[in-house]
Amino acid sequence: MKAVFDYLKTNQPRFVDELCELLHFPSVSAQPQHTPDVHACANWLAEHCRQIGLGAEVCPTRGHPIVLARTPRREGTRPHFLVYGHYDVQPPEPFELWTSPPFEPVIRGRDLVARGSADNKGQHFAHLKAVEAYLKTGTGLPCDLTFVLEGEEETGSASLTPFLRARRRELRCDGVVISDTGMPAKNLPALTYALRGIASLEITLRGPSRDLHSGLFGGSVENPAMALCQLLARMRDARGRITVPGFYDDVAPLSAAERKQLRRLPGTEEGYRRFLGVPKLYGEKGYTSTERTTARPTFEINGLTGGYQGEGGKTIVPAWARAKITMRLVAGQQPDKILRATTAWLKHLCPPTVRIEISPEHGAAPYLVDPAGAKVQAALRALKTAFHHEPVLIREGGSIPIVSDFKRILGADTLLLGLSLPDDNIHSPNEKFDLDCFAAGQRMSALLWQELAKTV
Ligand code: BES
Ligand code: ZN
């Protein structure tokens, strides 16, 4: 293993240059005008995989392509692990808040600033570099590895589920490893044992057949934007709880032991408040911010439109108003059931003066794994050696839609070994990735295969 670690150490500057190349692609999966960039990014990744000694194919799907890359196989059966990552990124807007253009990576101190640097290009690239170190130093890998790098994670992974089904024999494995989550601090590596799920929908309220003069008609017809605000306001109560009947029925409660463990994580409510720049924190009564963001469900308005949005004023009663909603779900809750209950409740609350249209978008089940298992313990050892600090077990609030399908379709558990720091600004302007986390992530990955192979 010395050769592997020496290789990683010596080649850091080149690795950073290569990561910058990868970050140049504006692979924004949600925006159709970037489809060619998404494809170009997939091709670059596959070519890079070949250069480091992997067999790679770009697999077309109905949506964005999936890059599949495999370590050279040897005779006989050996443990097989999947490494999952996504090369698509969130939209970079608003551009004016970036201190440098989002797809022109720059290094400031230890920060590599670019859209996708932490979420997720830098994180899966760390795993690729670890494998490169094995292959280029002629060090034997103790297991087979397959990289599954998709281009639709940020839009719900619609094409990956059928892909897993179609290739389930080839992808059968002893476990999945994902670095697409976070760690609380640079000196606090973490294994995430729970993720929230998600259910999303769009609500449109339609009123008059066209925008109307608000002086001539205002007062005689419902204003769809006002009706939408009133409808949405009824979705939560004064205690910060969601009012959809049955919404909390299946929520797995936090045990006293777990709450105690979560309270041991560093940070204070006041520090958190300042970090977020809010005048006062908000949330469901009776829970800490950590509990609220990881172990409790939410109902969020992601976007709200209707009426005139341009400069100056326009005196109208708009014809329609629309809201984009996502709900984060926790262990026990099922996206389909929650979507059905929410749709029924919205229809029930909608006044007869407008027409309501509800379109469910994507959903993903929450994830919770028992941290006592042998593979989790193996991963904790790799984290500790790589980061030179004792790792912590955490729950996180984000979602990685495909994780539940790895279990459902391949029967495989996932190890979530995130390398992103809380101030990496993922999904925000000025996203960055810490180059120390990048390097430690490579060491962790190199050690992980040794540790994991022992557990199979
Ligand atoms: N990497 C994130 C998920 C994440 C981040 C989990 C930090 C835990 C900690 C991922 O790229 C992401 O943003 N997922 C989306 C999925 C959604 C669009 C279906 C999310 O959580 O919003
Ligand atoms: Zn993301």
Side-chain angles (χ1 to χ4, degrees), residues 86 90 119 153-154 427:
H86 62 93
Q90 284 277 325
D119 186 8
E153 194 273 348
E154 300 291 8
H427 295 206

Side-chain angles (χ1 to χ4, degrees), residues 23 42 134 166 177 321 362 382 407:
L23 290 167
Y134 273 93
V177 169
H362 52 84
K407 183 75 185 175

Side-chain angles (χ1 to χ4, degrees), residues 260-445:
K260 201 169 146 201
Q261 156 85 19
L262 290 176
R263 272 198 298 274
R264 283 218 293 269
L265 294 172
T268 61
E269 295 285 324
E270 173 54 17
Y272 187 62
R273 182 196 70 75
R274 265 185 281 118
F275 170 60
L276 297 179
V278 288
K280 191 173 188 306
L281 290 172
Y282 169 84
E284 188 185 0
K285 296 263 180 312
Y287 294 93
T288 66
S289 293
T290 306
E291 291 168 347
R292 286 168 179 165
T293 54
T294 62
R296 300 297 298 168
T298 62
F299 180 101
E300 301 288 349
I301 303 171
N302 305 136
L304 202 52
T305 45
Y308 180 65
Q309 310 280 329
E311 254 179 80
K314 188 178 184 199
T315 47
I316 54 163
V317 175
W320 58 268
R322 179 172 299 139
K324 289 178 190 284
I325 305 293
T326 52
M327 293 168 278
R328 294 286 167 173
L329 312 179
V330 298
Q333 290 181 300
Q334 294 159 25
D336 289 352
K337 193 170 163 190
I338 292 294
L339 279 175
R340 274 198 305 276
T342 307
T343 302
W345 184 234
L346 284 165
K347 286 187 175 160
H348 172 77
L349 293 180
C350 182
T353 47
V354 283
R355 293 181 195 86
I356 187 165
E357 289 165 16
I358 301 171
S359 60
E361 305 280 312
H362 52 84
Y367 188 68
L368 181 67
V369 73
D370 178 6
K375 294 203 178 74
V376 170
Q377 297 305 313
L380 291 174
R381 289 194 294 276
L383 281 170
K384 181 175 174 177
T385 312
F387 282 87
H388 314 296
H389 287 282
E390 199 64 55
V392 286
L393 288 164
I394 57 173
R395 279 176 173 256
E396 287 200 280
S399 311
I400 304 177
I402 206 65
V403 168
S404 54
D405 285 339
F406 282 133
K407 183 75 185 175
R408 204 163 48 92
I409 299 169
L410 304 178
D413 281 326
T414 294
L415 292 167
L416 297 162
L417 305 166
L419 305 173
S420 168
L421 294 170
D423 64 353
D424 276 352
N425 296 322
I426 65 171
H427 295 206
S428 299
N430 304 309
E431 177 175 351
K432 55 99 172 159
F433 187 43
D434 191 293
L435 293 176
D436 294 325
C437 294
F438 182 43
Q442 297 159 32
R443 293 194 297 271
M444 180 273 289
S445 179

Side-chain angles (χ1 to χ4, degrees), residues 61-395:
T61 70
R62 291 177 63 142
H64 298 315
I66 294 164
V67 177
L68 206 61
R70 297 144 47 95
T71 51
R73 298 298 195 248
R74 286 210 315 234
E75 288 294 306
T77 51
R78 305 200 298 159
H80 177 210
F81 292 96
L82 299 190
V83 182
Y84 164 87
H86 62 93
Y87 65 84
D88 65 321
V89 303
Q90 284 277 325
E93 287 85 349
F95 287 101
E96 64 278 13
L97 293 185
W98 285 79
T99 51
S100 52
F103 298 105
E104 290 171 29
V106 293
I107 296 167
R108 293 194 200 108
R110 295 305 286 161
D111 292 348
L112 174 52
V113 184
R115 169 58 90 227
S117 54
D119 186 8
N120 166 258
K121 290 171 175 171
Q123 296 204 54
H124 65 250
F125 206 63
H127 287 281
L128 284 172
K129 295 296 107 179
V131 171
E132 172 184 329
Y134 273 93
L135 298 176
K136 295 288 179 190
T137 58
T139 309
L141 267 164
C143 52
D144 293 333
L145 298 177
T146 302
F147 284 82
V148 180
L149 307 172
E150 71 151 317
E152 296 182 342
E153 194 273 348
E154 300 291 8
T155 51
S157 299
S159 303
L160 188 52
T161 304
F163 183 84
L164 293 186
R165 271 203 205 94
R167 304 251 193 156
R168 70 197 290 172
R169 289 172 66 101
E170 182 187 340
L171 297 177
R172 198 165 42 201
C173 61
D174 298 291
V176 182
V177 169
I178 305 181
S179 292
D180 190 26
T181 49
M183 49 193 278
K186 238 168 148 160
N187 59 2
L188 218 50
L191 183 142
T192 296
Y193 65 94
L195 285 176
R196 287 196 287 190
I198 194 164
S200 73
L201 49 86
E202 226 175 74
I203 309 167
T204 308
L205 294 192
R206 295 190 190 277
S209 56
R210 58 202 180 280
D211 290 355
L212 299 174
H213 190 295
S214 63
L216 271 62
F217 300 100
S220 71
V221 286
E222 176 69 278
N223 181 311
M226 178 62 92
L228 184 60
C229 292
Q230 289 180 321
L231 177 62
L232 293 172
R234 292 183 67 182
M235 297 303 286
R236 73 180 196 203
D237 67 15
R239 302 184 64 227
R241 284 174 68 94
I242 296 136
T243 56
V244 177
F247 193 83
Y248 292 91
D249 283 2
D250 301 321
V251 170
L254 271 171
S255 70
E258 218 183 327
R259 298 186 84 169
K260 201 169 146 201
Q261 156 85 19
L262 290 176
R263 272 198 298 274
R264 283 218 293 269
L265 294 172
T268 61
E269 295 285 324
E270 173 54 17
Y272 187 62
R273 182 196 70 75
R274 265 185 281 118
F275 170 60
L276 297 179
V278 288
K280 191 173 188 306
L281 290 172
Y282 169 84
E284 188 185 0
K285 296 263 180 312
Y287 294 93
T288 66
S289 293
T290 306
E291 291 168 347
R292 286 168 179 165
T293 54
T294 62
R296 300 297 298 168
T298 62
F299 180 101
E300 301 288 349
I301 303 171
N302 305 136
L304 202 52
T305 45
Y308 180 65
Q309 310 280 329
E311 254 179 80
K314 188 178 184 199
T315 47
I316 54 163
V317 175
W320 58 268
R322 179 172 299 139
K324 289 178 190 284
I325 305 293
T326 52
M327 293 168 278
R328 294 286 167 173
L329 312 179
V330 298
Q333 290 181 300
Q334 294 159 25
D336 289 352
K337 193 170 163 190
I338 292 294
L339 279 175
R340 274 198 305 276
T342 307
T343 302
W345 184 234
L346 284 165
K347 286 187 175 160
H348 172 77
L349 293 180
C350 182
T353 47
V354 283
R355 293 181 195 86
I356 187 165
E357 289 165 16
I358 301 171
S359 60
E361 305 280 312
H362 52 84
Y367 188 68
L368 181 67
V369 73
D370 178 6
K375 294 203 178 74
V376 170
Q377 297 305 313
L380 291 174
R381 289 194 294 276
L383 281 170
K384 181 175 174 177
T385 312
F387 282 87
H388 314 296
H389 287 282
E390 199 64 55
V392 286
L393 288 164
I394 57 173
R395 279 176 173 256

